[in-house]
Amino acid sequence: MSNKKTQSTEGAMVEYVTAMIGGQLFGLPISRVQDVFMPERVTRVPLSSREISGVLNLRGRIVTVVDMRARLGLPRDEDGKTPMAVGVDLRGESYGLLIDQIGEVLRLPEDGKEENPVNLDPRMAKLAGGVHRLDGQLMVVLDVDRVLELAPEMMAA
């Protein structure tokens, strides 16, 4: 057991793009992140759920904008700051996840990821693929597929 430390330092590392949503730190696996952008000229989609902010054109691609606060059951952000969006793809479709603030890229050991704690907010737990305990805070790992799995019925008009 004494050499476990040395083994874990050689273990696989995963890079996460970090984002703040409603005061909670989230991490998205960098392998899933296409880009980060300021969502401009978002067009509402009639009859879409409140989790869909609308669609926008990003360099010639139509991107569906998902309001992550709504997706997590959080209240709207009223501080007037411009949200950021993290671009992700699912089965060839492009999505922008609206977040409050983008953070740094963190490189974390894969074996440091833990199961969702039992006291994790259930709205977060259903979109989380585990957590990393960082100094003084919990980073919830977003499972991009789960975040977007509502997509077919969200889009049905």
Side-chain angles (χ1 to χ4, degrees):
M1 284 307 249
S2 61
N3 66 354
K4 190 173 188 304
K5 271 274 187 281
T6 52
Q7 285 175 339
S8 68
T9 54
E10 293 155 17
M13 300 295 279
V14 181
E15 288 189 307
Y16 294 96
V17 174
T18 61
M20 292 299 282
I21 307 167
Q24 172 63 51
L25 182 68
F26 289 89
L28 292 101
I30 204 166
S31 58
R32 297 301 304 267
V33 175
Q34 308 284 320
D35 45 19
V36 175
F37 58 93
M38 303 284 283
E40 291 172 358
R41 295 191 294 284
V42 176
T43 306
R44 282 287 302 146
V45 177
L47 306 178
S48 66
S49 81
R50 100 189 166 88
E51 296 179 2
I52 297 289
S53 291
V55 294
L56 58 82
N57 184 328
L58 183 68
R59 297 185 290 279
R61 283 182 319 177
I62 297 301
V63 176
T64 302
V65 181
V66 178
D67 182 338
M68 286 305 297
R69 278 177 164 264
R71 190 76 183 86
L72 290 161
L74 299 170
R76 284 190 181 280
D77 194 6
E78 302 297 349
D79 67 5
K81 283 208 300 276
T82 313
M84 297 287 302
V86 178
V88 296
D89 273 20
L90 182 67
R91 292 190 282 278
E93 295 289 321
S94 297
Y95 296 88
L97 306 181
L98 276 191
I99 58 168
D100 299 344
Q101 197 181 343
I102 195 80
E104 58 196 339
V105 172
L106 293 182
R107 210 162 166 252
L108 300 169
E110 197 170 352
D111 60 10
K113 187 164 90 171
E114 302 173 22
E115 294 285 311
N116 292 340
V118 291
N119 61 349
L120 186 64
D121 184 314
R123 295 168 302 189
M124 287 182 191
K126 70 175 193 225
L127 304 180
V131 298
H132 275 278
R133 292 182 194 280
L134 308 176
D135 293 335
Q137 72 184 136
L138 200 63
M139 182 187 84
V140 176
V141 177
L142 278 179
D143 181 323
V144 174
D145 295 339
R146 282 195 222 160
V147 168
L148 298 176
E149 76 186 0
L150 275 187
E153 66 257 28
M154 287 194 300
M155 296 310 294

